[in-house]
Amino acid sequence: MKKRIGVYVCHCGGNISDVVNVSEVVTAVKDMEGVAIAKNTLFACSDAAQNEIVNDITSLHLDALVIASCSPKLHLHTFRAVAERAGLNSYNYVQVNIREQCSWAHSYEKVSATGKAIQLVKSGIERVIFSRAMEPFSIPAEQSVMVLGAGIGGMRSAISLANVGLQVYLLEREFFIGGRTAQWGDLSAAYENGPEVVSRLFKQIREHANIHLFIGAELISQSGNIGSFEVKVKIKPRRISGDCDESGFNQAISICPVEVPDDFNFGLTSRKAIYQHYPSEYPAIPAIDDANCNFCGACESLCKSIDLNQKEEILNLKVGNIIVNTGFDPYEPTRGEFGYNEIERVLTLPQFKRLVDISGAGKLNFKGKQIHTITYIFCVGSRQGEEGENQYCSRYCCTTALNTAIIVKRKFADITNIHCTRGIRTYGKQELIYEESSRQGDIFLEFSFENMPVVEERNGKVFVRIKDILTANREMEAETDLVVLITGMVPRRNNNIAQMLKIPTGRDHFFNEIHAKLRPVETVIDGVLIAGTCQGPKNIMETLNSSMAAAAKSAASLSSGTIHLEPIVADVNTDQCTGCGICLTVCPFDAIVTAGPEDKPAVSIVISRCKGCGMCLPVCPEDAIELYGFTNEEMEGMIDGLTSY
Amino acid sequence: MKKIVEQNQAGMDESLIDYDVLVIGGGIAGDEAALKLADVGYKILIVEKDLSIGGRMILLSKVFPTLDCSACITTPKVSETARHRNISIFTKTEVKSITRRQDNFFDITILKRTRYVLETLCTGCKECEDVCPILIPDEYQYNQVARKAVFIPFSIAQPRIANIDIDNCILCGLCEKKCPSDAIDFTLVDTYEHLVVKSVVLATGFRLFNPTVLSRYGYGRYKNVMTAMEMERQLAPTRPYNSVLRPKDGKMPDNIAYLLCVGSRDQTVGNPICSQICCMYSTKQAQLLLGALPMADVTVYYLHVRAFGKGFCEFYNQALSMGVNYIKAKVASVREKENGNLILRYEDFSTGQVEEQEHDLVVLATGILANAEIESVFKGEKLELDPYEFVRQKDMLTNPAITSISGVFAAGTVTGPMDIPDTILSAGAAAAEATAYLKKLS
Amino acid sequence: MESSSAKLKVLVFSTDKISDPAIDLAGLLKKHYPAGVYTISVPCSSAIKPRWIIHALQRGFDGVFIAADGTDCPYGELCVPNTANLVAATQIKMEKLGIAPQRLKMAAICSICAEPFVRYMNSFLHDLDTI
Ligand SMILES: Cc1cc2nc3c(=O)[nH]c(=O)nc-3n(C[C@H](O)[C@H](O)[C@H](O)COP(=O)(O)OP(=O)(O)OC[C@H]3O[C@@H](n4cnc5c(N)ncnc54)[C@H](O)[C@@H]3O)c2cc1C
Ligand SMILES: Cc1cc2nc3c(=O)[nH]c(=O)nc-3n(C[C@H](O)[C@H](O)[C@H](O)COP(=O)(O)OP(=O)(O)OC[C@H]3O[C@@H](n4cnc5c(N)ncnc54)[C@H](O)[C@@H]3O)c2cc1C
Ligand code: SF4
Ligand code: SF4
């Protein structure tokens, strides 16, 4: 039982005190039993206030601390550290959320909000009366990290991690590395080319002794905690072992009887079941795609390093952190959306990028016709209004579209670009690309969400009709040789990583960080970090920055060699336990074992396996199990606090 | 490069080293980079020329797109930085020169300007402020209120220590007598110090465009034309007044105009690039104004609304649904009426007509410019800048943190305009790259 | 225009990683719900003891709402059946004690379900009002 509790009620500059009468709260609790001091403070998290609290704890010999402020998700650790600095065990600190769950949620009801805040603070005090001092468990931290996805982001994460001395297992699900960047040819913002950029990073990966690259590899199961995750990886058979000379491979590819649409070119071209996307692709050997191969054996007879009987491999690894770099998918328009899949001259930007990349300079031809006029329709699959599926802006596309328009004009003769936008968003230095495309004579029209452009085919000709905001909503129609839909980014389909690693997704369905400004690469699962476009649309530079930031975070958390885990675990009262074993059936982590002498059977908890979920608590018929931090005394104390007058 | 590393592995003398990393600029970028490096175990020095760390962010009101209060996010970061055992901070200090040594370390000269206050003694009680007879415009409130000649910059400053603005001090000595802990000492002088460090992180941030250059908007001439940064202070929890007021007559405004792209995307002022944040901070302020002044109208005159980041478009939709009025227009000029109200003359894209509209307060969303002063500090090696004088990223598409000088890394807005989330990520990248560099050295 | 449901008190058991963030988000987005709604956060919704629920109802709460992890639970899929079982067991106990079982309600609230949370609160309070 605590006898000298310090209570601090934060104004949060006004975020709380504009609604909740903070001094009323202080008055209401200052005479409660066990409270030694109760105060209000402008910003409890500020340095000055922290120092004041530390001083109070030491000079007034406080034995527990309650701070009523923002959500514990923001500052639990900040204030636990305050307690520690003053020599108070950090588990004798309780944070009461009177901002997110009081002043903000009830901002129109000042009186009720103040009343609620009082009950909440009382409940915090009742809880801390019964709290007990605990020490975090320390476990050794594996000096290794698994990176999922070898796109530009994953490669960057891996190199940065390896450079700070960690071992890296880099897993790529496809048979080739580079992710989307490899597909784009000429890139915006720097005069470089996708495959070149990929090969620059790949070179560093190959030369780095700390990086272990697995291709065609997928995570199939995961267990454990930050510091030591145990992961199981499945490596699909590539069905190629070693090197065959180049002509051998080429012959094998040409003899393969199976022809399928080439995903790399978004179906514009086809490939064989044994394939390689472009000559300098990494790794520089083909792969056989099981889904389409009919195992006729024709290729095997031409090249001895083809091995159709190659088996899949399973790998068990132990890593300290996991960085998820699994990227994005381009938005796939629905059939008929701006004529997509109905009118053959309607392409998406990814398809168009591939077309531009694989076409030789001079004339641009598509489906047997030379292209002169190209009409680009922006924000397809993005900014779908308040009710739409994708409300967000995909960020990369304005810049990339205009950059592509510039390249097209440079590479091919007689091109006119018409951009139908919803307001160009070439933010920052990318504005120069917009300027350049204006300067080269591109035409800019602008439509609103309410008046979407219409694409129509009449007598073999394609027309785009638009109401143009820039000319006082004039309706106009242009005949065009090609329509390019500037499709946005969406989360990767068929990605089971989220479920396996328990990564929450945000309102936009991309993976969600804990806090965009405070903890931008961390997820609620300790030790599982996210970076690059799996977290939201980004261009390459932004992908790299977040990947390196994730690497820096990993380095910082693993470098000391130990990880501290929450000591919140279950505890069995062996006097009450009858050893019935019901709890064993509900524990997801096999953390409960039977123990005790034969005449008095009982269960016990394997601390290292217990994750503190508490699933065993309600099933015990004897109420013999408690969870540290959530004991009956604490929970019922809180309820009493909420209902006391 | 290879050769230098070898030579340096041979001739390296760790005992010479004062700090592993010098971080120049203690804004959110510098603090974040320092924290990540310090957590790995490196010894860091942050040199901040201002009186407090926290940069621009510590002075903001709330932050888009979540409307978190900025102080609530900045203060804990800043206090974690100040308290980290591997981080030292010198405020009111400038870096005067950086020179690469034979052994590949850097010789640094810094100038520590005195506060005339003994930092170890000052408790931040503010008693000195009470007795000082001098009143001058408070730069931390963007000159909207006055401060004393001896002052603590703002309530959440880090460190929260008094400073004497000697240019405006009349040396009356009242504060010196009043100070209960004898912290004030007029005999203190500026000092130069020499240090050796292994690497440098540049985090010197940005400047704001000065809108007096664009006289057609009347900033400086018309009192009720203010900048968004000034408005930011009026909306902040540590704000000068307890409400939003017109500078001219202290009246609560009820019809406020925002002008976007002031000093950005404008060749005539030599700044063709977009400032990347002003659309969003204006959208934020518009929402906060509607909260603070429920009866007010807020109109945003824009060319494009660059709501591109995570949650931004949703945030912009939220402003629209709250009733913020967005007009796609080119504003030609602002003129003042006798009552202090302002007439905006603009071309409205939706009608194609030139229109006029009266507002009682005009806020200019001024753009971001490079703070290039750090370039001249490097001796013997050239710190390359981009055409707009931001620090050039040598390899934007594979390693955005490196500059033209090996061992010198860039964090945050020193390389170009960006919001806080992007700043923090870029600072993380600089920390990763600096760590890699230091590992390679040893 | 305060209805009688405005005076009702509801205890929400939320979960640290999934539903409590959603309730925070509701506040952040200024999505208002009645101030009689109080939250206690636990690691997982399947850790709530029936005795706590009954204690709350006996101490004056009009209803208890379990903002369950559902299939998002970081502790695995056992959470869903375990939570359902504890709710059923509690309701049986409630009936024995003469407490209407409708006073305990459960729904899965994901980490961004701010809006659904507010809707649940409004409808739960409304239902309680009619008991
Ligand atoms: C048409 C188009 C043009 C673009 N042009 C430009 C440009 O000019 N400039 C620019 O800066 N940006 C451009 N971008 C953006 C750029 O493509 C992205 O920023 C970049 O590709 C993001 O990299 P990433 O690593 O996050 O994701 P990705 O490139 O998607 O890579 C993710 C990788 O993870 C792998 N993976 C996925 N799931 C798993 C799993 N479960 N296990 C293992 N591996 C997995 C994937 O196979 C892939 O290799 C363009 C985007 C598009 C759509
Ligand atoms: C009006 C306004 C509103 C904004 N609102 C938001 C918002 O709501 N959300 C958001 O995400 N972003 C917002 N921003 C952007 C945000 O302020 C920046 O992203 C952020 O401050 C950048 O941090 P930084 O550390 O790079 O630079 P800065 O904050 O500029 O910090 C640089 C630091 O370096 C110091 N320094 C400079 N030169 C030297 C030198 N030579 N020696 C030593 N020290 C030096 C400076 O004193 C300063 O402390 C806003 C910006 C403005 C102007
Ligand atoms: S970047 Fe441009 S095209 Fe892409 S969604 Fe945003 S506004 Fe639309
Ligand atoms: S962010 Fe918006 S206001 Fe700022 S320069 Fe860019 S377009 Fe203009």
Side-chain angles (χ1 to χ4, degrees), chain C:
Chain C
M1 259 249 310
E2 283 204 356
S3 72
S4 59
S5 70
K7 285 180 219 76
L8 296 175
K9 261 179 118 155
V10 165
L11 178 61
V12 176
F13 281 105
S14 62
T15 65
D16 291 341
K17 289 192 171 142
I18 308 295
S19 61
D20 205 55
I23 302 174
D24 278 359
L25 187 65
L28 187 71
L29 299 175
K30 305 279 154 68
K31 299 208 184 295
H32 294 91
Y33 52 89
V37 174
Y38 292 81
T39 306
I40 291 180
S41 178
V42 291
C44 170
S45 45
S46 59
I48 302 163
K49 288 188 184 176
R51 67 177 271 183
W52 303 340
I53 298 171
I54 287 168
H55 186 75
L57 293 167
Q58 287 176 336
R59 286 284 309 204
F61 275 104
D62 299 287
V64 172
F65 183 91
I66 297 183
D69 285 326
T71 49
D72 288 356
C73 179
Y75 301 107
E77 52 273 25
L78 277 177
C79 172
V80 176
N82 286 353
T83 309
N85 289 343
L86 82 86
V87 168
T90 312
Q91 281 173 331
I92 292 170
K93 286 191 183 163
M94 285 165 66
E95 283 214 277
K96 283 193 188 138
L97 292 165
I99 307 172
Q102 302 94 294
R103 292 195 184 272
L104 173 60
K105 195 174 158 67
M106 175 190 69
I109 299 283
C110 76
S111 58
I112 50 158
C113 286
E115 199 132 8
F117 172 74
V118 173
R119 276 202 305 273
Y120 277 122
M121 284 306 105
N122 289 328
S123 72
F124 187 38
L125 280 162
H126 177 81
D127 293 349
L128 287 174
D129 204 21
T130 55
I131 291 178

Side-chain angles (χ1 to χ4, degrees), chain A residues 225-227 229 320-323 523 525-529 554 557:
Chain A
N225 272 314
I226 178 169
F229 290 106
N321 271 189
I322 298 174
I323 299 184
T523 69
I525 310 302
D526 272 347
V528 174
L529 310 177
S554 260
S557 81

Side-chain angles (χ1 to χ4, degrees), chain B residues 54-168:
Chain B
R56 197 76 60 165
M57 185 178 167
I58 204 167
L59 296 171
L60 299 179
S61 56
K62 303 200 174 182
V63 284
F64 64 77
T66 46
L67 290 186
D68 278 326
C69 113
S70 187
C72 310
I73 306 176
T74 326
T75 38
K77 264 252 150 117
V78 153
S79 92
E80 198 185 337
T81 310
R83 201 166 280 127
H84 204 293
R85 63 193 162 84
N86 290 338
I87 301 179
S88 310
I89 302 173
F90 296 159
T91 49
K92 211 179 175 182
T93 301
E94 280 162 46
V95 177
K96 287 293 169 189
S97 73
I98 303 178
T99 322
R100 192 185 296 277
R101 299 155 49 98
Q102 280 284 304
D103 55 13
N104 213 16
F105 300 153
F106 294 99
D107 272 324
I108 310 284
T109 311
I110 58 173
L111 172 59
K112 290 173 117 171
R113 296 194 191 274
T114 181
R115 293 172 177 252
Y116 301 98
V117 171
L118 292 160
E119 307 196 357
T120 47
L121 294 183
C122 177
T123 62
C125 68
K126 286 182 143 218
E127 298 217 2
C128 50
E129 284 189 6
D130 293 343
V131 296
C132 176
I134 304 293
L135 278 177
I136 30 183
D138 183 352
E139 61 272 40
Y140 293 94
Q141 305 293 357
Y142 290 80
N143 304 329
Q144 301 179 87
V145 287
R147 62 156 171 85
K148 297 296 180 71
V150 57
F151 67 108
I152 288 172
F154 44 94
S155 62
I156 51 175
Q158 175 67 52
R160 197 166 175 274
I161 298 177
N163 173 62
I164 292 177
D165 163 7
I166 207 71
D167 295 336
N168 288 300

Side-chain angles (χ1 to χ4, degrees), chain B residues 7-63:
Chain B
Q7 175 190 23
N8 138 37
Q9 272 160 350
M12 218 164 43
D13 181 359
E14 286 281 337
S15 67
L16 291 171
I17 299 293
D18 295 291
Y19 297 96
D20 294 306
V21 188
L22 167 70
V23 175
I24 309 179
I28 197 67
D31 294 350
E32 176 72 14
L35 280 171
K36 287 288 168 296
L37 286 160
D39 279 348
V40 179
Y42 293 114
K43 293 263 177 285
I44 315 296
L45 173 65
I46 298 178
V47 169
E48 166 59 57
K49 75 172 177 186
D50 209 333
L51 298 174
S52 168
I53 59 171
R56 197 76 60 165
M57 185 178 167
I58 204 167
L59 296 171
L60 299 179
S61 56
K62 303 200 174 182
V63 284

Side-chain angles (χ1 to χ4, degrees), chain A residues 378-380 382-383 392-399 401 422-427 486-488, chain B residues 307-308:
Chain A
F378 285 59
C379 302
V380 177
S382 310
R383 301 175 64 189
Y392 57 87
C393 162
S394 291
R395 187 169 184 158
Y396 88 93
C397 19
C398 276
T399 303
R422 283 184 59 200
I424 287 288
R425 290 184 171 171
T426 41
Y427 56 92
I486 309 304
T487 46
Chain B
F308 57 85

Side-chain angles (χ1 to χ4, degrees), chain A residues 116-428:
Chain A
K116 176 171 175 179
I118 291 172
Q119 308 283 193
L120 287 170
V121 176
K122 284 184 175 171
S123 135
I125 294 168
E126 295 289 349
R127 178 181 202 174
V128 91
I129 285 180
F130 298 107
S131 68
R132 69 168 103 175
M134 294 186 276
E135 293 302 330
F137 302 127
S138 298
I139 56 156
E142 293 290 329
Q143 296 299 299
S144 61
V145 179
M146 182 174 73
V147 178
L148 291 173
I152 196 91
M155 289 196 286
R156 183 65 252 178
S157 297
I159 294 166
S160 289
L161 290 163
N163 282 344
V164 305
L166 295 163
Q167 294 296 313
V168 186
Y169 301 101
L170 174 58
L171 266 58
E172 170 54 53
R173 184 168 71 175
E174 301 295 323
F175 285 124
F176 301 95
I177 54 106
R180 298 280 175 208
T181 302
Q183 293 176 286
W184 304 147
D186 292 312
L187 298 173
S188 60
Y191 292 98
E192 288 194 81
N193 160 291
E196 266 167 38
V197 168
V198 168
S199 64
R200 276 226 303 283
L201 287 175
F202 185 69
K203 186 160 175 285
Q204 293 181 49
I205 288 180
R206 215 173 29 190
E207 287 169 359
H208 215 301
N210 289 1
I211 303 180
H212 314 280
L213 172 64
F214 299 100
I215 298 170
E218 256 185 290
L219 181 65
I220 51 174
S221 78
Q222 176 269 132
S223 63
N225 272 314
I226 178 169
S228 71
F229 290 106
E230 282 160 29
V231 294
K232 207 179 231 137
V233 175
K234 182 179 88 182
I235 303 179
K236 288 186 289 191
R238 190 183 192 94
R239 307 204 187 276
I240 312 267
S241 56
D243 232 342
C244 175
D245 65 281
E246 201 179 306
S247 69
F249 279 140
N250 285 342
Q251 282 170 13
I253 291 175
S254 58
I255 204 164
C256 174
V258 180
E259 196 155 324
V260 291
D262 187 352
D263 283 348
F264 190 79
N265 289 336
F266 300 97
L268 288 179
T269 57
S270 57
R271 64 158 168 83
K272 297 297 182 66
I274 171 170
Y275 68 105
Q276 194 175 3
H277 298 122
Y278 58 94
S280 61
E281 187 166 34
Y282 299 102
I285 46 170
I288 292 175
D289 138 31
D290 277 10
N292 293 300
C293 172
N294 63 13
F295 296 90
C296 66
C299 56
E300 208 171 15
S301 64
L302 284 172
C303 167
K304 61 181 181 318
S305 55
I306 295 177
D307 172 8
L308 288 175
N309 293 318
Q310 207 177 42
K311 295 278 169 306
E312 72 175 34
E313 279 175 65
I314 301 287
L315 225 64
N316 290 301
L317 301 168
K318 224 172 169 183
V319 294
N321 271 189
I322 298 174
I323 299 184
V324 180
N325 263 113
T326 51
F328 70 101
D329 271 336
Y331 172 77
E332 178 70 13
T334 54
R335 188 179 168 83
E337 189 174 356
F338 300 108
Y340 184 68
N341 267 346
E342 287 178 357
I343 303 172
E344 86 177 345
R345 296 182 174 278
V346 177
L347 298 179
T348 63
L349 179 62
Q351 289 176 321
F352 185 58
K353 287 281 301 180
R354 293 307 310 145
L355 177 69
V356 171
D357 202 40
I358 58 186
S359 306
K363 290 178 182 166
L364 177 62
N365 290 314
F366 182 66
K367 303 269 177 197
K369 189 173 170 218
Q370 192 186 344
I371 304 297
H372 298 291
T373 309
I374 307 168
T375 306
Y376 304 81
I377 298 178
F378 285 59
C379 302
V380 177
S382 310
R383 301 175 64 189
Q384 295 175 323
E386 290 223 47
E387 266 80 60
E389 173 76 359
N390 304 333
Q391 288 188 28
Y392 57 87
C393 162
S394 291
R395 187 169 184 158
Y396 88 93
C397 19
C398 276
T399 303
T400 298
L402 298 186
N403 186 57
T404 309
I406 293 170
I407 291 161
V408 170
K409 206 151 173 162
R410 247 190 246 140
K411 187 167 174 183
F412 307 108
D414 299 329
I415 297 281
T416 304
N417 292 312
I418 305 176
H419 302 285
C420 301
T421 83
R422 283 184 59 200
I424 287 288
R425 290 184 171 171
T426 41
Y427 56 92

Side-chain angles (χ1 to χ4, degrees), chain B residues 260-261 264-265 273-280 304 306 365:
Chain B
L260 300 194
C261 302
S264 314
R265 308 175 65 191
I273 68 175
C274 158
S275 292
Q276 197 157 325
I277 58 166
C278 10
C279 283
M280 290 313 289
H304 301 98
R306 289 185 165 161

